[in-house]
Amino acid sequence: MAKIQKLSAVALLVGAVFMTTACNEKDKTAAPAAETQAASTANADLVKDPSYAVGVLLGSDLKGLVDSQKEVMNYDQDKLVSGVKDALAGKVDLTKNQELQKTLTDLNEKLSKATEAKAKEDAAKAAEAAKQAQADGEKFAAEFKKQEGVKETPSGLLYRIQTPGEGETIKPEDSVKVHYTGKLPNGTVFDSSVERGQPAEFALNQVIPGWTEGLQLVKKGGKIELVIPPKLAYGDQDLGTIPANSTLHFDVEVLDVTPAKK
């Protein structure tokens, strides 16, 4: 929940480390080189001053707070800065000012109610998406099942082998190197090693049941199409890009197999 919280010294230090790391990882092309150089030159003395650095840290935290609450509360920036200045100057003591405490308590209640309402709204949307995903998946599976070459296992996994592959039968404990594309019944691609240009490697018994079962139906070099029902995929978990109760459609190519060590 979004709440007004005090910033402890530890929080400041952790925040500073986090922000420093984040800044180092940012794309250096985010700002024009000329503008970056100009700003660096203009603030050369300030950026070396701990007081300024802490001020920027606090300001960044405040901006994040304001931005996260803008749908509920419109803050007056001038008054916000005035409050910070008065607190730093010792003109106001939050622990002794009951009116300020009440204002913050009222604000916190308002934010909590807004958060609760948003959570209910999101839950309702997720439930509707899960219901739709269930219906779409059942329809897609029924149509796929009618296609030539499609078979079904006792668990409900639908598959079509395009290339059987060669070598030893893949065991659940073996590790595989694969290229794959995963789609929802509506054709939306939610994950693809092919698009990333980087094959995936994993132990076969560490993935969803539909994969563990399905890839044992081919061998190294094999290609298989899988339609995995929710119970063999992520079930009622809502993963964002994959709604709860989703049927998943995969095209998989087994590039290599590494037998498990005995």
Side-chain angles (χ1 to χ4, degrees):
M1 291 187 177
K3 294 183 178 180
I4 300 294
Q5 298 179 336
K6 292 182 179 179
L7 289 173
S8 65
V10 174
L12 285 175
L13 289 174
V14 172
V17 171
F18 172 79
M19 289 181 66
T20 300
T21 303
C23 287
N24 288 337
E25 295 297 325
K26 278 189 176 181
D27 183 357
K28 294 181 180 180
T29 62
E35 290 184 14
T36 303
Q37 182 62 37
S40 177
T41 301
N43 298 324
D45 293 332
L46 279 176
V47 296
K48 296 178 182 179
D49 190 308
S51 298
Y52 180 77
V54 172
V56 171
L57 175 60
L58 290 172
S60 298
D61 287 340
L62 279 174
K63 185 179 186 304
L65 177 68
V66 170
D67 288 346
S68 68
Q69 299 176 5
K70 61 185 178 182
E71 293 184 4
V72 181
M73 178 68 184
N74 291 319
Y75 291 97
D76 184 304
Q77 183 169 312
D78 291 337
K79 293 178 180 178
L80 193 69
V81 174
S82 293
V84 173
K85 288 182 177 180
D86 286 350
L88 287 173
K91 294 181 179 180
V92 61
D93 185 345
L94 180 58
T95 63
K96 297 178 181 179
N97 194 311
Q98 294 185 357
E99 290 186 10
L100 274 176
Q101 292 177 21
K102 184 178 184 307
T103 298
L104 291 176
T105 298
D106 291 344
L107 174 60
N108 192 59
E109 290 180 359
K110 181 178 181 180
L111 293 172
S112 294
K113 289 180 180 179
T115 301
E116 185 178 350
K118 184 67 165 58
K120 289 182 178 180
E121 180 183 346
D122 290 344
K125 289 181 179 179
E128 183 60 33
K131 183 179 179 180
Q132 187 63 52
Q134 181 78 40
D136 290 346
E138 291 174 353
K139 179 180 179 181
F140 181 83
E143 293 175 351
F144 183 78
K145 191 174 182 179
K146 298 175 183 177
Q147 296 179 22
E148 184 179 354
V150 173
K151 297 181 180 179
E152 183 176 8
T153 69
S155 69
L157 174 70
L158 297 176
Y159 69 95
R160 175 164 49 197
I161 296 176
Q162 299 169 345
T163 304
E166 300 178 346
E168 298 293 327
T169 299
I170 301 175
K171 300 179 179 61
E173 299 80 14
D174 293 343
S175 292
V176 295
K177 182 178 182 180
V178 300
H179 254 320
Y180 67 91
T181 295
K183 296 175 286 187
L184 298 177
N186 62 9
T188 299
V189 175
F190 59 82
D191 192 14
S192 175
S193 68
V194 177
E195 292 182 0
R196 288 194 300 272
Q198 180 64 49
E201 298 184 56
F202 48 81
L204 194 55
N205 59 5
Q206 295 180 356
V207 290
I208 58 176
W211 269 64
T212 303
E213 180 182 1
L215 266 63
Q216 293 181 72
L217 300 172
V218 290
K219 301 175 181 179
K220 179 179 177 179
K223 295 182 179 180
I224 189 170
E225 191 175 2
L226 302 171
V227 172
I228 306 176
K231 66 179 181 179
L232 298 179
Y234 298 106
D236 59 3
Q237 295 182 67
D238 184 350
L239 303 181
T241 54
I242 302 177
N245 299 334
S246 287
T247 292
L248 307 182
H249 180 202
F250 284 98
D251 287 302
V252 187
E253 178 181 5
V254 181
L255 302 175
D256 198 5
V257 178
T258 302
K261 293 182 180 180
K262 295 183 180 180

